[in-house]
């Protein structure tokens, strides 16, 4: 089945540790996104990538890093510099917005990160 | 800069009532797309509808209908004869500016509770 896979579903880390969240898609989509969801805050864009080896900062990129070495993969690293990392993280992909806005984003099931 | 406002945060209705979820957007572009997504308790966002800026026709899909009005920059979503399964968080989103900086921006979401 085609889709987006985020792993793991639940993740616990100690404060001060970096942690990497996985996002893989087999939809042959060019664009990929990472969003953070907090209660009452909606979805806030962390990073996005329109093409391999290129990515852009979103609205809340501080304390996060990404890479886009392969079309199907867009891992997100939550670094120790992120002051409030506990949240629900959603990855999404879409056909390239570079060429065509007429495309919806498909979402993974999310990773709930808890830092203790 | 693009912005999506969902002023309602929580709505509670009794089953079979009609309910309208409001969405107001801001954009400088003349070409853009608007979306509605549903997030059930499982966490994954489900795409509901896409509407481009040049098509102001209202759309109906079963119990769901959407009213797009450029004059008021609004894209409201109505559920007719609501059901308990409609309980979820609903997000409105906007994409604009095809190109390297194109991205999806979401509102803060509306939590809909439908009581039996």
């Amino acid at each position: 089945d085609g889709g987006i896979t985020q792993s793991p579903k639940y993740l616990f880390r100690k404060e001060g540790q970096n942690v990497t969240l996985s996002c893989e898609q087999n939809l042959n989509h060019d664009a990929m996104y990472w969003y953070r969801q907090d209660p009452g805050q909606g979805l806030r864009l962390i990073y996005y990538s329109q093409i391999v080896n290129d990515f852009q900062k979103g609205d809340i990129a501080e304390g996060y890093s990404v890479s886009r070495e392969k079309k199907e993969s867009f891992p997100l690293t939550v670094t120790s510099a992120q002051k409030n990392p506990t949240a629900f993280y959603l990855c999404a992909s879409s056909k390239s917005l570079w060429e065509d806005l007429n495309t919806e984003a498909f979402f993974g099931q999310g990773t709930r990160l808890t830092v203790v | 800069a693009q912005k999506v406002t969902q002023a309602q945060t929580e709505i509670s209705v009794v089953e079979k009532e009609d309910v309208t979820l409001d969405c107001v957007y801001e954009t400088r572009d003349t070409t853009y797309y608007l979306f509605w997504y549903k997030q059930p308790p499982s966490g994954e966002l489900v795409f509901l509808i896409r509407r481009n800026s040049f098509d102001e026709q209202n759309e109906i899909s079963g119990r769901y209908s959407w009213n797009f009005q450029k004059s008021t920059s609004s894209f409201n979503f109505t559920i007719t004869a609501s059901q308990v399964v409609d309980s979820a968080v609903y997000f409105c989103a906007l994409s604009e500016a095809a190109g390297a900086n194109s991205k999806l921006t979401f509102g803060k979401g509306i939590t809909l509770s439908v009581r039996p």
Side-chain angles (χ1 to χ4, degrees):
Chain A
D1 279 7
I4 301 177
T5 302
Q6 288 187 245
S7 60
K9 192 170 182 179
Y10 298 96
L11 190 56
F12 295 86
R13 278 294 182 268
K14 290 185 178 179
E15 194 172 344
Q17 289 182 336
N18 291 356
V19 60
T20 298
L21 280 58
S22 169
C23 178
E24 303 278 332
Q25 54 100 358
N26 60 5
L27 300 167
N28 200 32
H29 284 166
D30 289 306
M32 296 188 74
Y33 314 82
W34 274 105
Y35 291 90
R36 169 179 172 146
Q37 186 176 15
D38 298 281
Q41 295 289 328
L43 293 173
R44 293 184 290 170
L45 183 62
I46 304 172
Y47 269 98
Y48 60 109
S49 168
Q50 297 289 351
I51 196 169
V52 174
N53 292 323
D54 186 52
F55 47 83
Q56 309 290 330
K57 290 183 178 180
D59 301 316
I60 56 165
E62 186 175 348
Y64 299 97
S65 66
V66 293
S67 63
R68 188 83 188 279
E69 297 175 2
K70 298 186 297 181
K71 186 175 185 178
E72 58 270 21
S73 179
F74 191 41
L76 173 75
T77 297
V78 184
T79 74
S80 56
Q82 169 49 236
K83 299 195 183 310
N84 297 296
T86 295
F88 186 56
Y89 291 88
L90 282 160
C91 179
S93 73
S94 68
K95 294 179 189 176
S96 176
L97 290 182
W98 183 293
E99 298 170 352
D100 183 7
L101 293 175
N102 184 20
T103 177
E104 67 270 23
F106 293 81
F107 283 80
Q109 291 193 319
T111 293
R112 190 166 298 280
L113 173 64
T114 302
V115 175
V116 296
Chain B
Q2 58 193 74
K3 183 179 178 182
V4 176
T5 300
Q6 296 181 262
Q8 304 153 309
T9 54
E10 295 184 19
I11 300 175
S12 181
V13 298
V14 177
E15 205 169 18
K16 298 184 183 176
E17 284 185 23
D18 297 347
V19 58
T20 295
L21 311 181
D22 298 333
C23 174
V24 174
Y25 62 92
E26 295 176 28
T27 176
R28 297 175 186 166
D29 281 12
T30 55
T31 301
Y32 53 89
Y33 277 80
L34 296 161
F35 304 81
W36 275 95
Y37 284 85
K38 174 182 179 179
Q39 185 181 38
S42 61
E44 182 176 348
L45 268 73
V46 177
F47 165 75
L48 295 177
I49 190 171
R50 170 182 62 240
R51 172 68 69 212
N52 77 57
S53 53
F54 299 106
D55 182 2
E56 288 194 70
Q57 283 190 350
N58 291 336
E59 180 151 343
I60 298 175
S61 176
R63 297 185 296 107
Y64 296 169
S65 63
W66 289 269
N67 184 350
F68 176 32
Q69 292 193 333
K70 286 179 75 172
S71 61
T72 56
S73 296
S74 65
F75 186 43
N76 297 337
F77 173 29
T78 297
I79 301 174
T80 303
S82 59
Q83 300 176 1
V84 173
V85 293
D86 295 326
S87 297
V89 182
Y90 290 86
F91 291 96
C92 182
L94 165 72
S95 68
E96 63 174 18
N101 294 321
S102 54
K103 60 180 181 178
L104 277 170
T105 298
F106 285 80
K108 292 188 175 182
I110 302 170
T111 300
L112 174 64
S113 298
V114 182
R115 309 186 306 276

